[in-house]
Amino acid sequence: MSKLAIKGGVQCVPKKYQNFKHPKITKDFFKRLQDEKFQNEICSFDSPVVSDFQEEAKKLFNLKHVLPTNSGTSALFEMFYALGLEPGDEVIVPSYTFFATGTPLFVLKCIPVLVDATDNGNIDPKDIERKITTKTKAIVITHMWGIPCDMDEIIKISKKYKVPILEDASHAHGATYKGRVIGTFGVCSAWSLGAKKLITGGQGGMLGTNNKEIYQKAVLFGHANNKRIKEITIKNLLPYSVSGTGLNLRIHPFSAGVITEQMKEYPKQMRERQEVADYLISEIEKIPGSGLPRIPKGSNPSWYGFPIFFDTDFFKGVDKETFVSALNAEGATSFDVPHTTSPLTEYPVFNERGVFFERIKEIKKYYQKGDFKQTELFNKRVFKLTLWYGDNRMNYAKYHILALQKVIKNIGELR
Ligand SMILES: Cc1ncc(COP(=O)(O)O)c(C=O)c1O
């Protein structure tokens, strides 16, 4: 008789630890929704709900300026615009990231120059240096799954070639590197606060910077309204302050309210996730056939995802998808294969001269699957867990480890 649930055996995770809810929208927030003052506030252009978001984010992430946006993609778009990139400029982009880290560059007619990953999936500083040319105007980095990039090396390169760093901090809310908060290393950072991100409004994002000019240009790019107009003080930007450039990338105040609630709880959540991560690391190190990516010295990940390596040699004859399906069938539903984040070379916009971007004559090189060895290897081996917080966090963790041990012990049933 089969032991594994996928083959008809008994599930090892009790039902109550199979469905972790995130985000948790508090009763206080529902009470606030019924409050008349709040209902008036969410309809106003000058919504104090959005200002609360800004103040909370500045405190939490140690930023001078925060601009809430309707998505992380919008924040990336306005970050590139506000830096002053021009058509034909080259921008270094990791080959392993979510595609929106690079795709807004096409709209600005700039050229994403892809760079390979290092052993932990983050951008490889050595490959950044190989790809820098006189046309390189920025280096975009993503702290994948919340693990900080190798910042000492990246800062050295940025200083040597006088090319600014831009951060995609979408996965790394609250992560630190040598005591400094992720999102404060670049001249500007873009954050997704949408979907299942650590802090999420369903849809939402923000731009963060300590640079007044970048902030004001971003405001003009997609945030013209009565309140924002007051923030434009730079003389040559003033004439644009009524219309902006014509886009509307503002956050919905409802989503801003949901996000602000979560920010207040976030430091506690981070501590709880770290406790879970410490336990998982100690257990996974003992389990044959699985491994963990390198965490740079002195860094504290945010654990948006907890990446685990699947040893393809050890599991010969079983593919990663089947293995993760077997874990899910045990009720260990927090394991998954990150399908929406693949090497950028797999997307037509990066790998062929598609109809959308024919106008970018400067793009001489399109990429092909297999161009980036380390990115491919990381993507082939990685599966991940989303981590739990709250009172039952350690029970979720223990049952997910039990499921991992059970599937590995009975791996023969999957061959
Ligand atoms: C690393 C990264 N950057 C950018 C984005 C885009 O954010 P959004 O979906 O909020 O536009 C995502 C979304 O998953 C992401 O993971």
Side-chain angles (χ1 to χ4, degrees), residues 70-74 76 97-101 142 144-145 168-171 190-195 197 202-205 304 340-341:
N70 56 15
S71 72
T73 306
S74 295
L76 283 151
T97 181
F98 185 73
F99 53 80
T101 311
T142 308
M144 286 304 294
W145 309 118
D168 181 337
S170 300
H171 291 188
W191 309 56
S192 170
L193 302 165
K197 296 295 178 318
Q203 271 284 122
Y304 168 51
T340 55
T341 300

PDB file of all heavy atoms in Angstrom, residues 70-74 76 97-101 142 144-145 168-171 190-195 197 202-205 304 340-341, ligand 1:
ATOM      1  N   ASN A  70       0.257  52.541  -7.610  1.00  0.00           N
ATOM      2  CA  ASN A  70      -0.764  51.498  -7.751  1.00  0.00           C
ATOM      3  C   ASN A  70      -0.175  50.106  -8.000  1.00  0.00           C
ATOM      4  O   ASN A  70      -0.896  49.116  -8.023  1.00  0.00           O
ATOM      5  CB  ASN A  70      -1.778  51.865  -8.835  1.00  0.00           C
ATOM      6  CG  ASN A  70      -1.115  52.146 -10.173  1.00  0.00           C
ATOM      7  OD1 ASN A  70       0.045  51.803 -10.368  1.00  0.00           O
ATOM      8  ND2 ASN A  70      -1.830  52.771 -11.083  1.00  0.00           N
ATOM      9  N   SER A  71       1.137  50.022  -8.207  1.00  0.00           N
ATOM     10  CA  SER A  71       1.782  48.704  -8.362  1.00  0.00           C
ATOM     11  C   SER A  71       3.300  48.862  -8.273  1.00  0.00           C
ATOM     12  O   SER A  71       3.827  49.976  -8.374  1.00  0.00           O
ATOM     13  CB  SER A  71       1.424  48.070  -9.710  1.00  0.00           C
ATOM     14  OG  SER A  71       2.086  48.748 -10.758  1.00  0.00           O
ATOM     15  N   GLY A  72       3.966  47.730  -8.128  1.00  0.00           N
ATOM     16  CA  GLY A  72       5.423  47.736  -8.162  1.00  0.00           C
ATOM     17  C   GLY A  72       5.922  48.084  -9.562  1.00  0.00           C
ATOM     18  O   GLY A  72       6.932  48.764  -9.729  1.00  0.00           O
ATOM     19  N   THR A  73       5.197  47.619 -10.571  1.00  0.00           N
ATOM     20  CA  THR A  73       5.589  47.912 -11.956  1.00  0.00           C
ATOM     21  C   THR A  73       5.565  49.428 -12.191  1.00  0.00           C
ATOM     22  O   THR A  73       6.489  49.993 -12.791  1.00  0.00           O
ATOM     23  CB  THR A  73       4.626  47.200 -12.936  1.00  0.00           C
ATOM     24  OG1 THR A  73       4.596  45.820 -12.606  1.00  0.00           O
ATOM     25  CG2 THR A  73       5.057  47.369 -14.375  1.00  0.00           C
ATOM     26  N   SER A  74       4.518  50.105 -11.692  1.00  0.00           N
ATOM     27  CA  SER A  74       4.448  51.562 -11.838  1.00  0.00           C
ATOM     28  C   SER A  74       5.614  52.231 -11.118  1.00  0.00           C
ATOM     29  O   SER A  74       6.195  53.201 -11.614  1.00  0.00           O
ATOM     30  CB  SER A  74       3.137  52.108 -11.254  1.00  0.00           C
ATOM     31  OG  SER A  74       2.046  51.623 -11.985  1.00  0.00           O
ATOM     32  N   LEU A  76       8.566  50.974 -10.584  1.00  0.00           N
ATOM     33  CA  LEU A  76       9.772  50.758 -11.405  1.00  0.00           C
ATOM     34  C   LEU A  76       9.804  51.725 -12.582  1.00  0.00           C
ATOM     35  O   LEU A  76      10.825  52.337 -12.892  1.00  0.00           O
ATOM     36  CB  LEU A  76       9.816  49.310 -11.906  1.00  0.00           C
ATOM     37  CG  LEU A  76      10.257  48.287 -10.858  1.00  0.00           C
ATOM     38  CD1 LEU A  76       9.637  46.928 -11.113  1.00  0.00           C
ATOM     39  CD2 LEU A  76      11.780  48.179 -10.828  1.00  0.00           C
ATOM     40  N   THR A  97      14.883  37.539 -12.214  1.00  0.00           N
ATOM     41  CA  THR A  97      14.046  38.456 -11.453  1.00  0.00           C
ATOM     42  C   THR A  97      12.644  38.356 -12.033  1.00  0.00           C
ATOM     43  O   THR A  97      12.422  37.630 -13.016  1.00  0.00           O
ATOM     44  CB  THR A  97      14.577  39.906 -11.542  1.00  0.00           C
ATOM     45  OG1 THR A  97      13.737  40.770 -10.757  1.00  0.00           O
ATOM     46  CG2 THR A  97      14.600  40.454 -12.969  1.00  0.00           C
ATOM     47  N   PHE A  98      11.684  39.064 -11.438  1.00  0.00           N
ATOM     48  CA  PHE A  98      10.366  39.154 -12.075  1.00  0.00           C
ATOM     49  C   PHE A  98      10.518  40.070 -13.293  1.00  0.00           C
ATOM     50  O   PHE A  98      11.249  41.066 -13.244  1.00  0.00           O
ATOM     51  CB  PHE A  98       9.369  39.742 -11.064  1.00  0.00           C
ATOM     52  CG  PHE A  98       7.961  39.770 -11.554  1.00  0.00           C
ATOM     53  CD1 PHE A  98       7.220  38.612 -11.649  1.00  0.00           C
ATOM     54  CD2 PHE A  98       7.358  40.961 -11.921  1.00  0.00           C
ATOM     55  CE1 PHE A  98       5.900  38.631 -12.098  1.00  0.00           C
ATOM     56  CE2 PHE A  98       6.038  40.999 -12.357  1.00  0.00           C
ATOM     57  CZ  PHE A  98       5.307  39.833 -12.456  1.00  0.00           C
ATOM     58  N   PHE A  99       9.800  39.775 -14.380  1.00  0.00           N
ATOM     59  CA  PHE A  99      10.076  40.502 -15.637  1.00  0.00           C
ATOM     60  C   PHE A  99       9.906  42.020 -15.540  1.00  0.00           C
ATOM     61  O   PHE A  99      10.593  42.780 -16.223  1.00  0.00           O
ATOM     62  CB  PHE A  99       9.234  39.936 -16.784  1.00  0.00           C
ATOM     63  CG  PHE A  99       7.751  39.866 -16.507  1.00  0.00           C
ATOM     64  CD1 PHE A  99       6.964  40.987 -16.627  1.00  0.00           C
ATOM     65  CD2 PHE A  99       7.157  38.667 -16.114  1.00  0.00           C
ATOM     66  CE1 PHE A  99       5.599  40.931 -16.366  1.00  0.00           C
ATOM     67  CE2 PHE A  99       5.800  38.594 -15.846  1.00  0.00           C
ATOM     68  CZ  PHE A  99       5.005  39.740 -15.974  1.00  0.00           C
ATOM     69  N   ALA A 100       9.016  42.483 -14.613  1.00  0.00           N
ATOM     70  CA  ALA A 100       8.767  43.935 -14.541  1.00  0.00           C
ATOM     71  C   ALA A 100       9.977  44.728 -14.050  1.00  0.00           C
ATOM     72  O   ALA A 100      10.001  45.953 -14.174  1.00  0.00           O
ATOM     73  CB  ALA A 100       7.563  44.227 -13.657  1.00  0.00           C
ATOM     74  N   THR A 101      10.994  44.041 -13.509  1.00  0.00           N
ATOM     75  CA  THR A 101      12.221  44.753 -13.134  1.00  0.00           C
ATOM     76  C   THR A 101      12.853  45.366 -14.378  1.00  0.00           C
ATOM     77  O   THR A 101      13.562  46.367 -14.294  1.00  0.00           O
ATOM     78  CB  THR A 101      13.230  43.781 -12.455  1.00  0.00           C
ATOM     79  OG1 THR A 101      12.549  43.044 -11.445  1.00  0.00           O
ATOM     80  CG2 THR A 101      14.406  44.519 -11.846  1.00  0.00           C
ATOM     81  N   THR A 142      17.726  43.185  -7.856  1.00  0.00           N
ATOM     82  CA  THR A 142      16.562  42.670  -7.109  1.00  0.00           C
ATOM     83  C   THR A 142      17.094  41.754  -6.025  1.00  0.00           C
ATOM     84  O   THR A 142      17.931  40.883  -6.307  1.00  0.00           O
ATOM     85  CB  THR A 142      15.637  41.849  -8.028  1.00  0.00           C
ATOM     86  OG1 THR A 142      15.328  42.609  -9.180  1.00  0.00           O
ATOM     87  CG2 THR A 142      14.337  41.473  -7.316  1.00  0.00           C
ATOM     88  N   MET A 144      16.419  38.868  -4.489  1.00  0.00           N
ATOM     89  CA  MET A 144      15.470  37.792  -4.801  1.00  0.00           C
ATOM     90  C   MET A 144      15.048  37.004  -3.568  1.00  0.00           C
ATOM     91  O   MET A 144      15.864  36.549  -2.785  1.00  0.00           O
ATOM     92  CB  MET A 144      16.080  36.844  -5.828  1.00  0.00           C
ATOM     93  CG  MET A 144      16.133  37.428  -7.219  1.00  0.00           C
ATOM     94  SD  MET A 144      14.532  37.984  -7.837  1.00  0.00           S
ATOM     95  CE  MET A 144      13.631  36.445  -7.984  1.00  0.00           C
ATOM     96  N   TRP A 145      13.775  36.825  -3.464  1.00  0.00           N
ATOM     97  CA  TRP A 145      13.116  36.098  -2.370  1.00  0.00           C
ATOM     98  C   TRP A 145      13.426  36.719  -1.013  1.00  0.00           C
ATOM     99  O   TRP A 145      13.200  36.111   0.017  1.00  0.00           O
ATOM    100  CB  TRP A 145      13.437  34.592  -2.408  1.00  0.00           C
ATOM    101  CG  TRP A 145      13.182  34.021  -3.758  1.00  0.00           C
ATOM    102  CD1 TRP A 145      14.089  33.442  -4.601  1.00  0.00           C
ATOM    103  CD2 TRP A 145      11.929  34.023  -4.466  1.00  0.00           C
ATOM    104  NE1 TRP A 145      13.483  33.085  -5.790  1.00  0.00           N
ATOM    105  CE2 TRP A 145      12.154  33.444  -5.722  1.00  0.00           C
ATOM    106  CE3 TRP A 145      10.635  34.464  -4.139  1.00  0.00           C
ATOM    107  CZ2 TRP A 145      11.148  33.284  -6.671  1.00  0.00           C
ATOM    108  CZ3 TRP A 145       9.620  34.323  -5.093  1.00  0.00           C
ATOM    109  CH2 TRP A 145       9.900  33.732  -6.339  1.00  0.00           C
ATOM    110  N   ASP A 168      15.184  47.038  -6.797  1.00  0.00           N
ATOM    111  CA  ASP A 168      13.837  46.484  -6.789  1.00  0.00           C
ATOM    112  C   ASP A 168      13.723  45.766  -5.446  1.00  0.00           C
ATOM    113  O   ASP A 168      14.312  44.697  -5.243  1.00  0.00           O
ATOM    114  CB  ASP A 168      13.651  45.518  -7.971  1.00  0.00           C
ATOM    115  CG  ASP A 168      12.246  44.936  -8.022  1.00  0.00           C
ATOM    116  OD1 ASP A 168      11.586  44.911  -6.970  1.00  0.00           O
ATOM    117  OD2 ASP A 168      11.831  44.497  -9.106  1.00  0.00           O
ATOM    118  N   ALA A 169      13.010  46.404  -4.523  1.00  0.00           N
ATOM    119  CA  ALA A 169      12.931  45.880  -3.149  1.00  0.00           C
ATOM    120  C   ALA A 169      11.623  45.108  -2.914  1.00  0.00           C
ATOM    121  O   ALA A 169      11.228  44.891  -1.768  1.00  0.00           O
ATOM    122  CB  ALA A 169      13.062  47.030  -2.154  1.00  0.00           C
ATOM    123  N   SER A 170      11.007  44.675  -4.003  1.00  0.00           N
ATOM    124  CA  SER A 170       9.680  44.043  -3.904  1.00  0.00           C
ATOM    125  C   SER A 170       9.635  42.809  -3.007  1.00  0.00           C
ATOM    126  O   SER A 170       8.611  42.514  -2.411  1.00  0.00           O
ATOM    127  CB  SER A 170       9.196  43.642  -5.297  1.00  0.00           C
ATOM    128  OG  SER A 170       9.101  44.776  -6.116  1.00  0.00           O
ATOM    129  N   HIS A 171      10.757  42.072  -2.949  1.00  0.00           N
ATOM    130  CA  HIS A 171      10.773  40.840  -2.152  1.00  0.00           C
ATOM    131  C   HIS A 171      11.375  41.075  -0.766  1.00  0.00           C
ATOM    132  O   HIS A 171      11.379  40.157   0.045  1.00  0.00           O
ATOM    133  CB  HIS A 171      11.650  39.769  -2.824  1.00  0.00           C
ATOM    134  CG  HIS A 171      11.087  39.223  -4.091  1.00  0.00           C
ATOM    135  ND1 HIS A 171      11.638  38.154  -4.736  1.00  0.00           N
ATOM    136  CD2 HIS A 171      10.019  39.591  -4.839  1.00  0.00           C
ATOM    137  CE1 HIS A 171      10.945  37.872  -5.827  1.00  0.00           C
ATOM    138  NE2 HIS A 171       9.963  38.752  -5.916  1.00  0.00           N
ATOM    139  N   ALA A 190      12.226  50.674  -5.815  1.00  0.00           N
ATOM    140  CA  ALA A 190      10.839  50.431  -6.222  1.00  0.00           C
ATOM    141  C   ALA A 190      10.357  49.192  -5.479  1.00  0.00           C
ATOM    142  O   ALA A 190      11.097  48.205  -5.366  1.00  0.00           O
ATOM    143  CB  ALA A 190      10.763  50.215  -7.730  1.00  0.00           C
ATOM    144  N   TRP A 191       9.151  49.261  -5.004  1.00  0.00           N
ATOM    145  CA  TRP A 191       8.622  48.196  -4.156  1.00  0.00           C
ATOM    146  C   TRP A 191       7.263  47.754  -4.661  1.00  0.00           C
ATOM    147  O   TRP A 191       6.379  48.598  -4.855  1.00  0.00           O
ATOM    148  CB  TRP A 191       8.431  48.689  -2.721  1.00  0.00           C
ATOM    149  CG  TRP A 191       9.608  49.365  -2.086  1.00  0.00           C
ATOM    150  CD1 TRP A 191      10.301  50.450  -2.556  1.00  0.00           C
ATOM    151  CD2 TRP A 191      10.223  49.022  -0.843  1.00  0.00           C
ATOM    152  NE1 TRP A 191      11.300  50.789  -1.691  1.00  0.00           N
ATOM    153  CE2 TRP A 191      11.278  49.931  -0.621  1.00  0.00           C
ATOM    154  CE3 TRP A 191       9.970  48.025   0.110  1.00  0.00           C
ATOM    155  CZ2 TRP A 191      12.081  49.881   0.503  1.00  0.00           C
ATOM    156  CZ3 TRP A 191      10.779  47.989   1.242  1.00  0.00           C
ATOM    157  CH2 TRP A 191      11.825  48.892   1.429  1.00  0.00           C
ATOM    158  N   SER A 192       7.058  46.467  -4.823  1.00  0.00           N
ATOM    159  CA  SER A 192       5.697  45.966  -5.049  1.00  0.00           C
ATOM    160  C   SER A 192       5.068  45.719  -3.677  1.00  0.00           C
ATOM    161  O   SER A 192       5.703  45.156  -2.782  1.00  0.00           O
ATOM    162  CB  SER A 192       5.714  44.661  -5.840  1.00  0.00           C
ATOM    163  OG  SER A 192       4.408  44.090  -5.830  1.00  0.00           O
ATOM    164  N   LEU A 193       3.854  46.160  -3.524  1.00  0.00           N
ATOM    165  CA  LEU A 193       3.066  45.867  -2.315  1.00  0.00           C
ATOM    166  C   LEU A 193       1.748  45.245  -2.779  1.00  0.00           C
ATOM    167  O   LEU A 193       0.667  45.628  -2.340  1.00  0.00           O
ATOM    168  CB  LEU A 193       2.826  47.159  -1.515  1.00  0.00           C
ATOM    169  CG  LEU A 193       4.103  47.906  -1.068  1.00  0.00           C
ATOM    170  CD1 LEU A 193       3.781  49.320  -0.614  1.00  0.00           C
ATOM    171  CD2 LEU A 193       4.802  47.155   0.062  1.00  0.00           C
ATOM    172  N   GLY A 194       1.891  44.329  -3.738  1.00  0.00           N
ATOM    173  CA  GLY A 194       0.710  43.715  -4.337  1.00  0.00           C
ATOM    174  C   GLY A 194       0.761  42.206  -4.212  1.00  0.00           C
ATOM    175  O   GLY A 194       1.724  41.624  -3.698  1.00  0.00           O
ATOM    176  N   ALA A 195      -0.284  41.547  -4.680  1.00  0.00           N
ATOM    177  CA  ALA A 195      -0.420  40.083  -4.664  1.00  0.00           C
ATOM    178  C   ALA A 195      -0.081  39.532  -3.273  1.00  0.00           C
ATOM    179  O   ALA A 195      -0.576  40.047  -2.282  1.00  0.00           O
ATOM    180  CB  ALA A 195       0.426  39.465  -5.767  1.00  0.00           C
ATOM    181  N   LYS A 197       2.730  39.665  -1.594  1.00  0.00           N
ATOM    182  CA  LYS A 197       3.961  40.206  -1.019  1.00  0.00           C
ATOM    183  C   LYS A 197       3.864  40.255   0.511  1.00  0.00           C
ATOM    184  O   LYS A 197       2.777  40.165   1.082  1.00  0.00           O
ATOM    185  CB  LYS A 197       4.222  41.615  -1.565  1.00  0.00           C
ATOM    186  CG  LYS A 197       4.478  41.658  -3.055  1.00  0.00           C
ATOM    187  CD  LYS A 197       5.737  40.936  -3.433  1.00  0.00           C
ATOM    188  CE  LYS A 197       6.012  40.916  -4.920  1.00  0.00           C
ATOM    189  NZ  LYS A 197       4.873  40.678  -5.790  1.00  0.00           N
ATOM    190  N   GLY A 202      -3.117  43.979  -2.055  1.00  0.00           N
ATOM    191  CA  GLY A 202      -3.740  43.321  -3.205  1.00  0.00           C
ATOM    192  C   GLY A 202      -3.137  43.889  -4.486  1.00  0.00           C
ATOM    193  O   GLY A 202      -2.530  43.191  -5.280  1.00  0.00           O
ATOM    194  N   GLN A 203      -3.313  45.169  -4.668  1.00  0.00           N
ATOM    195  CA  GLN A 203      -2.586  45.954  -5.675  1.00  0.00           C
ATOM    196  C   GLN A 203      -1.911  47.074  -4.902  1.00  0.00           C
ATOM    197  O   GLN A 203      -2.527  47.665  -4.023  1.00  0.00           O
ATOM    198  CB  GLN A 203      -3.558  46.586  -6.673  1.00  0.00           C
ATOM    199  CG  GLN A 203      -3.897  45.737  -7.870  1.00  0.00           C
ATOM    200  CD  GLN A 203      -2.791  45.678  -8.901  1.00  0.00           C
ATOM    201  OE1 GLN A 203      -2.308  44.607  -9.230  1.00  0.00           O
ATOM    202  NE2 GLN A 203      -2.381  46.818  -9.424  1.00  0.00           N
ATOM    203  N   GLY A 204      -0.695  47.424  -5.265  1.00  0.00           N
ATOM    204  CA  GLY A 204      -0.047  48.550  -4.595  1.00  0.00           C
ATOM    205  C   GLY A 204       1.455  48.489  -4.755  1.00  0.00           C
ATOM    206  O   GLY A 204       2.010  47.457  -5.156  1.00  0.00           O
ATOM    207  N   GLY A 205       2.097  49.590  -4.469  1.00  0.00           N
ATOM    208  CA  GLY A 205       3.546  49.649  -4.534  1.00  0.00           C
ATOM    209  C   GLY A 205       4.021  50.972  -3.988  1.00  0.00           C
ATOM    210  O   GLY A 205       3.210  51.781  -3.507  1.00  0.00           O
ATOM    211  N   TYR A 304      10.614  36.607   2.069  1.00  0.00           N
ATOM    212  CA  TYR A 304       9.412  36.630   1.212  1.00  0.00           C
ATOM    213  C   TYR A 304       9.158  35.216   0.698  1.00  0.00           C
ATOM    214  O   TYR A 304       8.048  34.702   0.702  1.00  0.00           O
ATOM    215  CB  TYR A 304       9.605  37.609   0.058  1.00  0.00           C
ATOM    216  CG  TYR A 304       8.558  37.501  -1.021  1.00  0.00           C
ATOM    217  CD1 TYR A 304       7.202  37.525  -0.708  1.00  0.00           C
ATOM    218  CD2 TYR A 304       8.924  37.357  -2.356  1.00  0.00           C
ATOM    219  CE1 TYR A 304       6.239  37.419  -1.705  1.00  0.00           C
ATOM    220  CE2 TYR A 304       7.972  37.256  -3.352  1.00  0.00           C
ATOM    221  CZ  TYR A 304       6.632  37.279  -3.016  1.00  0.00           C
ATOM    222  OH  TYR A 304       5.688  37.165  -3.993  1.00  0.00           O
ATOM    223  N   THR A 340       6.015  32.157 -11.891  1.00  0.00           N
ATOM    224  CA  THR A 340       5.930  33.503 -12.492  1.00  0.00           C
ATOM    225  C   THR A 340       7.273  34.214 -12.468  1.00  0.00           C
ATOM    226  O   THR A 340       7.408  35.306 -13.001  1.00  0.00           O
ATOM    227  CB  THR A 340       4.887  34.398 -11.782  1.00  0.00           C
ATOM    228  OG1 THR A 340       5.214  34.435 -10.388  1.00  0.00           O
ATOM    229  CG2 THR A 340       3.476  33.897 -11.989  1.00  0.00           C
ATOM    230  N   THR A 341       8.249  33.619 -11.824  1.00  0.00           N
ATOM    231  CA  THR A 341       9.588  34.223 -11.833  1.00  0.00           C
ATOM    232  C   THR A 341      10.545  33.229 -12.475  1.00  0.00           C
ATOM    233  O   THR A 341      10.945  32.254 -11.852  1.00  0.00           O
ATOM    234  CB  THR A 341      10.022  34.562 -10.389  1.00  0.00           C
ATOM    235  OG1 THR A 341       9.070  35.481  -9.859  1.00  0.00           O
ATOM    236  CG2 THR A 341      11.394  35.209 -10.358  1.00  0.00           C
TER     237      THR A 341
HETATM  238  C1  LIG B   1      10.770  41.405  -7.986  1.00  0.00           C
HETATM  239  C2  LIG B   1       9.479  42.013  -8.456  1.00  0.00           C
HETATM  240  N1  LIG B   1       9.507  43.215  -9.052  1.00  0.00           N
HETATM  241  C3  LIG B   1       8.378  43.798  -9.510  1.00  0.00           C
HETATM  242  C4  LIG B   1       7.162  43.188  -9.399  1.00  0.00           C
HETATM  243  C5  LIG B   1       5.949  43.833  -9.986  1.00  0.00           C
HETATM  244  O1  LIG B   1       5.097  44.266  -8.990  1.00  0.00           O
HETATM  245  P1  LIG B   1       3.521  44.457  -9.276  1.00  0.00           P
HETATM  246  O2  LIG B   1       2.954  43.118  -9.549  1.00  0.00           O
HETATM  247  O3  LIG B   1       3.040  45.060  -7.988  1.00  0.00           O
HETATM  248  O4  LIG B   1       3.402  45.390 -10.416  1.00  0.00           O
HETATM  249  C6  LIG B   1       7.071  41.940  -8.774  1.00  0.00           C
HETATM  250  C7  LIG B   1       5.768  41.260  -8.641  1.00  0.00           C
HETATM  251  O5  LIG B   1       5.638  40.108  -8.362  1.00  0.00           O
HETATM  252  C8  LIG B   1       8.262  41.330  -8.301  1.00  0.00           C
HETATM  253  O6  LIG B   1       8.246  40.109  -7.741  1.00  0.00           O
END
